[in-house]
Amino acid sequence: MHHKRLIWQLYPSQLLITLAALLAFTWYGTSSIRSFQLSETAIGLEARAHLVASSVLGYLEHDDLKGLEAFCREAGKKSLTRLTVIAPDGKILADSDEDPARMENHNDRPEIIAAFAGKIVPTLRFSQTLQQNLMYMAIPLDGHGNRKDVLRVAIPVTTIDKALSAIYQKILWGCLVVAVIAALAAWFIARRISKPLEQMKLGAERFAMGDFAGRMQAEGAEEVAGLARALNEMAVQLDGRIQTIVRQHSQLQAVFASMVEGVITVDTEERVLDVNQSGAQLLNVDPEKIRGKSILLAVRNTHLQNFVKNALASASPMEGEFSSRMGADGQEKYFYAHGARLQDSQGHITGALIVINDVTSLRRLESMRRDFVANVSHELKTPITSIEGFAETLLDGALDEPEDARRFVEIIGKQAARLHAIVEDLLALSRVEQEAKREEIVLQELPIAEVLQSAIQTCSSRAEKENVSISLACAPTITAGINPALFEQAVVNLLDNAVKYSGKGSEIKVEAEIKAGEVLIRVCDNGVGIASQDIFRIFERFYRVDKARSAKLGGTGLGLSIVKHIVQAHHGRVSVESSPGKGSIFTIHLPVRS
Ligand code: ADP
């Protein structure tokens, strides 16, 4: 829509009102002047008529039409008045300006009709004879027997018209001047009104841009100044509200950003409104890229898409769990999600809020626990079944055959020892775990050579049996923060494995050194070695590369697990390098205490 400037709204109306007032005044003034002039003229005309009436009557009484004619001409000329004498039948008896013989009957003229009726009525009419506007007036001439002649007098009224047209001209000029003055006045008023309004417009534009620093000047008319004050007040209110909103928004953003849970908000069309950093990481998406996109395109997980759909449809909050391989590492992850609809202050549904927790480690722990229970049961089941079987065989009659009986009892003893070993290892493992958890393991900075020597001593009888030699290379100055009993147990387990999985007559080396801020303790053998696919699993509980061989050698599958936990309790780690057929090197890495 096109908007007119203020001056063009003010000027025409102002001009119109002024001109209308001027014209009304002119019309009233001129018509008053005219009627006053005419009535004055009529009075004068009547006086002239009465002045000449007695002379005319004199001529008529003597029937001296010639004399009358001459008188009319003479008197008419001198008084600048047209004189006409009319007989009762309307015939012209004499006229000051025209030959009566050439004049038509005047019976029908209004002033004549009125005079015959005894009235004196002035009449304005254009005279065909004299070709100008005249005022006519006729008076009855009495006293001439029964005859009732009429004397008509007429004078031109052009002087009045001339005077009036001069007035009209002046008024026209006046109108022009008024138009110019009105334009100037309108321009002046418009400027006075529009200038503060324009400043206010600029101020309001500044407010709209969010710049609330400046204030508007309350100047001009009271209404305009009042508007400026109201706008200033509005700016203060707006500024305060916007600041509150910005503060709340940044607080909310900070809460969102620092949340461990992933938070996603969607609108009713399932478009992503926002996603926090944790959410983006969990779902492996770029938060900037998915904002405004439909959840179907943003996240390629049908479970989450359905969850969002259901959360939007459901009046009550929802919970659900789903798994996904969306992560950067491609590993299966488990998510626990809460969903609730979002409502505005009027109660309208505006979207949904989805909170996602990564429960992968919880689920893994649960599954590990389940596996562990299954494994323990399985490990215990084998010796128990064996003991049960041989005991039954003995009771069924084998007791009577001393040779078999002795063999079976030996087997029972072996299986019981195995059970004992498993239970011992399990207890050791759980003890280490519990103590490490409660931080009850006391570490002391001690030379490790002594502990290594003691571990070698513990394994020496078995080593001798296998004809295996164990050498130690450790400077007595090397110290580490250790719990001597636990650390020895770890080294014993490694040495025990090295003896077990090396052939007769092989050599085992125990070395220690300080390298790159770590104390390294290596147990090297040249035994069977471990295939690369098994290397990552040998520290798991009950994992054995060759079950039968391990069992034969009295292994429980828990030895390396215990090593791992002991080393972890020492704030270190254990690594292994191995190649099948060549041998293995197990290395314990302990941090050097500064
Ligand atoms: P186990 O009681 O069976 O020895 P461990 O937890 O000590 O259980 O070891 C797990 C598995 O790792 C063993 O069954 C064995 O296959 C392998 N292993 C451990 N140490 C060695 C080694 N020094 N040489 C070859 N294989 C080994």
Side-chain angles (χ1 to χ4, degrees):
M1 196 180 143
H2 178 70
H3 293 282
K4 274 199 236 166
R5 286 185 64 103
L6 192 61
I7 187 164
W8 296 119
Q9 298 203 353
L10 281 177
Y11 178 57
S13 52
Q14 214 172 37
L15 185 69
L16 206 73
I17 292 165
T18 317
L19 286 184
L22 198 73
L23 288 177
F25 174 75
T26 309
W27 174 80
Y28 179 75
T30 51
S31 57
S32 300
I33 292 167
R34 195 179 155 83
S35 61
F36 173 74
Q37 282 285 341
L38 287 177
S39 70
E40 282 296 302
T41 311
I43 290 165
L45 201 61
E46 194 179 342
R48 286 180 209 192
H50 285 297
L51 272 176
V52 293
S54 53
S55 310
V56 172
L57 262 176
Y59 287 108
L60 284 176
E61 274 167 12
H62 296 99
D63 277 333
D64 181 4
L65 286 181
K66 280 230 182 290
L68 184 65
E69 179 84 32
F71 171 77
C72 284
R73 277 186 195 283
E74 183 67 18
K77 207 173 178 182
K78 282 187 179 154
S79 64
L80 295 173
T81 310
R82 183 178 176 192
L83 300 172
T84 315
V85 183
I86 302 121
D89 57 357
K91 199 172 157 248
I92 306 298
L93 298 175
D95 190 86
S96 57
D97 293 33
E98 191 60 66
D99 181 3
R102 286 176 35 199
M103 289 171 73
E104 59 186 31
N105 192 304
H106 270 45
N107 246 354
D108 55 348
R109 303 296 197 268
E111 69 279 4
I112 312 279
I113 295 168
F116 282 135
K119 286 180 203 147
I120 303 164
V121 178
T123 310
L124 276 178
R125 201 168 56 245
F126 184 77
S127 161
Q128 294 297 337
T129 319
L130 300 180
Q131 288 297 307
Q132 58 180 328
N133 273 330
L134 293 179
M135 179 185 271
Y136 295 96
M137 185 183 280
I139 56 167
L141 295 170
D142 298 325
H144 175 46
N146 282 336
R147 277 181 64 133
K148 279 229 191 285
D149 300 286
V150 162
L151 167 66
R152 187 181 75 172
V153 283
I155 54 163
V157 287
T158 40
T159 45
I160 300 171
D161 289 339
K162 268 185 196 151
L164 283 177
S165 80
I167 290 172
Y168 286 141
Q169 225 167 34
K170 278 180 190 151
I171 284 168
L172 195 74
W173 279 110
C175 281
L176 264 174
V177 172
V178 163
V180 172
I181 290 170
L184 283 173
W187 183 80
F188 184 70
I189 294 167
R191 272 210 53 85
R192 278 208 57 176
I193 297 173
S194 70
K195 209 174 157 200
L197 281 178
E198 256 161 38
Q199 273 177 353
M200 239 181 283
K201 185 186 126 202
L202 290 176
E205 278 171 357
R206 273 205 318 275
F207 292 163
M209 303 279 286
D211 172 14
F212 297 107
R215 288 283 172 270
M216 293 178 191
Q217 299 284 319
E219 52 189 24
E222 174 47 33
E223 290 84 348
V224 180
L227 183 62
R229 283 195 293 271
L231 279 171
N232 283 339
E233 183 57 27
M234 185 191 78
V236 171
Q237 300 274 344
L238 261 179
D239 195 15
R241 274 179 208 182
I242 287 174
Q243 273 178 19
T244 310
I245 290 168
V246 167
R247 198 175 52 244
Q248 284 175 347
H249 185 255
S250 54
Q251 275 171 0
L252 216 63
Q253 283 296 321
V255 170
F256 259 36
S258 55
M259 272 174 85
V260 187
E261 293 86 359
V263 179
I264 306 173
T265 44
V266 292
D267 65 10
T268 47
E269 305 293 318
E270 295 178 25
R271 279 187 299 254
V272 177
L273 294 174
D274 210 351
V275 57
N276 70 348
Q277 203 56 42
S278 303
Q281 266 167 11
L282 288 181
L283 304 173
N284 192 27
V285 291
D286 181 348
E288 299 306 322
K289 280 192 186 150
I290 67 162
R291 249 174 228 132
K293 266 193 190 171
S294 161
I295 193 87
L296 294 171
L297 299 170
V299 181
R300 300 205 176 275
N301 184 304
T302 43
H303 299 291
L304 179 61
Q305 290 162 4
N306 288 337
F307 187 80
V308 169
K309 204 186 280 294
N310 293 339
L312 276 169
S314 160
S316 52
M318 286 194 38
E319 289 178 15
E321 198 170 326
F322 58 90
S323 64
S324 151
R325 287 187 192 277
M326 288 181 295
D329 50 6
Q331 291 214 344
E332 177 132 60
K333 284 192 162 189
Y334 296 89
F335 298 110
Y336 191 74
H338 287 260
R341 286 204 302 213
L342 292 170
Q343 290 186 345
D344 64 11
S345 51
Q346 271 98 45
H348 297 132
I349 311 293
T350 56
L353 175 80
I354 315 292
V355 179
I356 301 173
N357 287 282
D358 185 353
V359 291
T360 311
S361 52
L362 205 71
R363 292 291 168 270
R364 280 203 188 132
L365 266 178
E366 279 172 5
S367 110
M368 267 169 72
R369 198 169 298 139
R370 270 198 305 273
D371 290 353
F372 179 67
V373 171
N375 284 337
V376 170
S377 316
H378 183 75
E379 291 297 326
L380 295 177
K381 205 177 144 208
T382 321
I384 288 171
T385 316
S386 175
I387 291 169
E388 214 179 15
F390 284 108
E392 269 176 22
T393 319
L394 283 171
L395 289 174
D396 284 352
L399 268 178
D400 300 332
E401 290 167 33
E403 235 177 69
D404 282 345
R406 186 181 172 78
R407 199 160 52 86
F408 292 162
V409 172
E410 270 172 12
I411 294 172
I412 289 174
K414 231 176 169 181
Q415 294 298 340
R418 181 165 169 69
L419 269 181
H420 187 224
I422 292 173
V423 173
E424 276 290 315
D425 276 357
L426 278 174
L427 282 175
L429 194 59
S430 102
R431 214 170 25 241
V432 174
E433 269 187 324
Q434 293 287 332
E435 287 177 2
K437 203 171 167 190
R438 290 197 223 115
E439 294 180 349
E440 282 174 357
I441 295 170
V442 183
L443 301 179
Q444 291 168 282
E445 192 69 22
L446 291 172
I448 57 169
E450 269 173 44
V451 187
L452 295 178
Q453 191 59 57
S454 171
I456 293 169
Q457 192 64 45
T458 311
C459 297
S460 61
S461 65
R462 187 168 193 171
E464 274 167 23
K465 233 193 256 172
E466 298 289 325
N467 199 17
V468 171
S469 68
I470 306 175
S471 63
L472 172 67
C474 174
T477 49
I478 300 177
T479 61
I482 54 169
N483 178 301
L486 286 177
F487 186 65
E488 188 182 325
Q489 160 101 65
V491 179
V492 166
N493 281 9
L494 290 180
L495 276 173
D496 197 41
N497 279 349
V499 174
K500 271 196 293 187
Y501 299 107
S502 304
K504 277 189 190 295
S506 57
E507 283 178 17
I508 296 170
K509 281 187 270 174
V510 180
E511 301 165 354
E513 64 166 332
I514 296 178
K515 201 174 172 186
E518 284 182 323
V519 181
L520 305 178
I521 300 106
R522 290 194 201 92
V523 176
C524 320
D525 66 55
N526 41 22
V528 291
I530 308 157
S532 57
Q533 76 267 18
D534 295 313
I535 275 194
F536 299 103
R537 301 200 60 193
I538 55 171
F539 292 98
E540 285 176 20
R541 289 163 204 208
F542 298 116
Y543 188 80
R544 282 160 293 186
V545 176
D546 183 344
K547 275 201 174 204
R549 184 179 185 155
S550 165
K552 212 172 92 196
L553 297 167
T556 59
L558 294 167
L560 287 181
S561 217
I562 294 171
V563 172
K564 188 176 92 177
H565 279 90
I566 290 176
V567 175
Q568 277 175 355
H570 282 76
H571 311 295
R573 65 190 171 93
V574 56
S575 67
V576 56
E577 293 161 54
S578 183
S579 52
K582 288 189 180 164
S584 317
I585 304 171
F586 283 82
T587 310
I588 294 174
H589 306 247
L590 295 182
V592 170
R593 285 203 184 175
S594 47

